[in-house]
Amino acid sequence: CGLSTRLSESLLVTPCKTRHVCGGKLLPDRFDCESIQPFIPQPFIIQNDLVIADYGKGACDRVDEIIVNARKSNCARIIVDPAPKTDWRRYAGAHIIKANYIECRQACAIYGGPLINPVDMARFLSSVLDCEIVLTKDSDGIYLSNGAHISATFNNAVDVCGAGDTVTDAIAFSMSKAATL
């Protein structure tokens, strides 16, 4: 189950994600079948933006090398969606880290920062990690390390899986069109 992709001469298999529908409604459960596989980065050139979504599944075990290589190739922006429960120092050199409230709270606990106010958390993490922080907080919206707050618009969401990925993609797309954070 899953798609096979050839990267760096090794065969990587994507996870198989199974969702359930009952009575026409999507159930909140999901069953994933996957294997964690290491990815060995090869030298590359990136001339635009690089988005790194680290799910903690092995593909970003050497994310520091990926970021260094991207910076050497004059990558415009490196945007990271960090793995849960990880030390964010591994993303040194990234321009933007986009994480949810719980992930930011865990990072603040590691570095001795504030644990409640999202603006204070984003500012603190930005100063410690020398990058912009985008903190998402469910129906409260998005908080930026520059102090800005983007309110959420209510929507009757059926499924919120992938919402964080959508925010990361929207940031990358908007910035590629010369929008500011």
Side-chain angles (χ1 to χ4, degrees):
C1 191
L3 300 174
S4 297
T5 307
R6 185 169 293 284
L7 294 172
S8 300
E9 298 305 314
S10 64
L11 192 62
L12 300 177
V13 179
T14 62
C16 178
K17 300 179 180 191
T18 304
R19 302 299 305 263
H20 295 107
V21 177
C22 181
K25 295 194 179 225
L26 185 65
L27 298 178
D29 62 345
R30 184 178 86 193
F31 298 95
D32 296 353
C33 299
E34 61 188 353
S35 64
I36 296 175
Q37 305 160 38
F39 170 67
I40 300 170
Q42 301 296 314
F44 58 88
I45 295 174
I46 295 192
Q47 298 173 339
N48 296 312
D49 295 339
L50 173 63
V51 175
I52 299 171
D54 186 355
Y55 296 100
K57 308 284 182 169
C60 292
D61 283 349
R62 294 165 65 177
V63 70
D64 55 331
E65 293 177 37
I66 295 169
I67 292 172
V68 166
N69 196 355
R71 294 293 292 233
K72 284 181 182 175
S73 70
N74 294 319
C75 177
R77 271 176 302 275
I78 302 167
I79 303 167
V80 174
D81 188 349
K85 299 177 184 172
T86 189
D87 185 342
W88 290 4
R89 286 178 283 216
R90 65 193 308 244
Y91 308 118
H95 298 95
I96 300 167
I97 295 178
K98 191 281 316 165
N100 66 37
Y101 180 79
I102 293 170
E103 293 164 335
C104 286
R105 191 176 154 103
Q106 290 168 346
C108 280
I110 289 172
Y111 305 122
L115 299 176
I116 303 294
N117 184 298
V119 172
D120 292 343
M121 291 165 58
R123 284 184 173 153
F124 173 79
L125 290 170
S126 177
S127 68
V128 168
L129 300 164
D130 193 28
C131 67
E132 298 293 334
I133 300 293
V134 176
L135 184 157
T136 60
K137 191 169 186 241
D138 303 320
S139 60
D140 285 353
I142 298 172
Y143 297 88
L144 305 179
S145 51
N146 66 10
H149 174 237
I150 302 165
S151 297
T153 303
F154 180 76
N155 187 344
N156 252 344
V158 175
D159 181 9
V160 296
C161 287
D165 294 334
T166 302
V167 172
T168 304
D169 294 343
I171 292 167
F173 178 78
S174 298
M175 295 190 85
S176 76
K177 300 298 181 190
T180 63
L181 187 57

